[in-house]
Amino acid sequence: MRGIVGYAGVQSALDVLLAGLGRLERPGHGSSGVAVLADGGLATARSEGRLGELRAELARRPLPAGACGVGYGGVAGGAQPQLDNAGRVAVVCDGQVDNHAELRDELAARGHRLGSGTETEVVAHLLAESFSSCGDLSEAMRQVCRSLRGGYALLAVHADEPDALVGAHRGVPLVVGVGEGESFLASDEVAFGGEAVRDVVRLPGGEPEQVRVVLARREFDEVRCEVTDVDGGVVRA
């Protein structure tokens, strides 16, 4: 089982992500990573090791401060987050994209360079491609989900949307925590732990065909959180 965490708000995203990953860590985990939006770009750190090794790497090579990001903890091999070629999109994934090999071939035919062999990298490239066409992170994720098969939960950030966090799921749990001027997304609400979460939203999506997309966007001192179906219909505003 993998653990994924996302944050958008007023705290240090890195601190929140590491704390959440620590609450989600399991004995079988052997890789970890984080991505934070900062200084107009995307700063990342990954480790083919448990969370303690990632923390040690961050002590050696600190990331710049940012208030929005995603984190991952899971089995050894294929550490996440995965990025697009431009390094503008970061994605973490729990679950499985069954048709990732087919999608990889299509991306390669369109000139994308993919090297990790993971479904998560495929999603990152698809999301970057869709965003470049529509310019809207939530709509880009909906477009991506319409091409995916399998059961998955996804979290992503884009450097061109520095105050936004997007998530999606189909048949794999994804939970939203709403706080004062901040929002948390995770594979399990245990990740929220001692964070100041006043409302927990368990996204419907147990049926394999049911996709939900959630966008958390920081606007001044508030975070607006909207849940839509794969066609853009609002489920929860």
Side-chain angles (χ1 to χ4, degrees):
M1 178 182 177
R2 304 167 184 172
I4 58 174
V5 185
Y7 176 75
V10 294
Q11 300 186 59
S12 161
L14 181 59
D15 290 346
V16 173
L17 296 174
L18 292 174
L21 291 174
R23 298 179 189 114
L24 292 173
E25 191 170 35
R26 299 293 181 266
H29 285 186
S31 63
S32 54
V34 291
V36 174
L37 294 174
D39 301 330
L42 194 58
T44 64
R46 298 187 303 188
S47 172
E48 286 293 350
R50 291 177 64 82
L51 187 58
E53 295 182 38
L54 177 63
R55 289 182 181 275
E57 171 63 19
L58 289 166
R60 292 190 296 268
R61 188 179 66 87
L63 297 186
C68 187
V70 294
Y72 167 86
V75 297
Q80 302 182 32
Q82 290 289 331
L83 311 181
D84 70 316
N85 284 150
R88 304 290 287 174
V89 174
V91 177
V92 294
C93 174
D94 184 16
Q96 180 67 42
V97 176
D98 293 339
N99 60 331
H100 70 93
E102 172 189 334
L103 294 170
R104 177 182 300 277
D105 290 343
E106 294 174 3
L107 284 165
R110 295 198 293 270
H112 292 254
R113 303 183 308 279
L114 298 97
S116 76
T118 67
E119 68 262 25
T120 311
E121 185 184 29
V122 169
V123 174
H125 282 249
L126 289 171
L127 189 61
E129 190 175 70
S130 291
F131 183 86
S132 69
S133 297
C134 71
D136 180 278
L137 191 56
S138 185
E139 174 58 24
M141 180 62 86
R142 286 190 289 270
Q143 290 179 10
V144 170
C145 288
R146 289 196 283 270
S147 70
L148 304 181
R149 297 197 302 269
Y152 54 81
L154 305 167
L155 297 176
V157 290
H158 195 304
D160 289 354
E161 294 276 1
D163 296 315
L165 164 70
V166 69
H169 81 135
R170 178 179 187 260
V172 172
L174 188 63
V175 184
V176 182
V178 180
E180 193 67 39
E182 57 189 355
S183 187
F184 312 80
L185 278 75
S187 49
D188 191 306
E189 65 189 87
V190 70
F192 305 152
E195 303 296 345
V197 173
R198 66 170 187 258
D199 187 22
V200 174
V201 181
R202 297 168 185 83
L203 297 179
E207 295 299 322
E209 70 278 4
Q210 191 175 45
V211 175
R212 291 291 181 263
V213 174
V214 55
L215 179 72
R217 184 186 302 279
R218 187 160 60 95
E219 298 175 347
F220 302 103
D221 294 331
E222 295 294 327
V223 170
R224 182 174 62 86
C225 190
E226 182 179 77
V227 182
T228 61
D229 62 24
V230 75
D231 296 315
V234 177
V235 177
R236 183 184 189 277

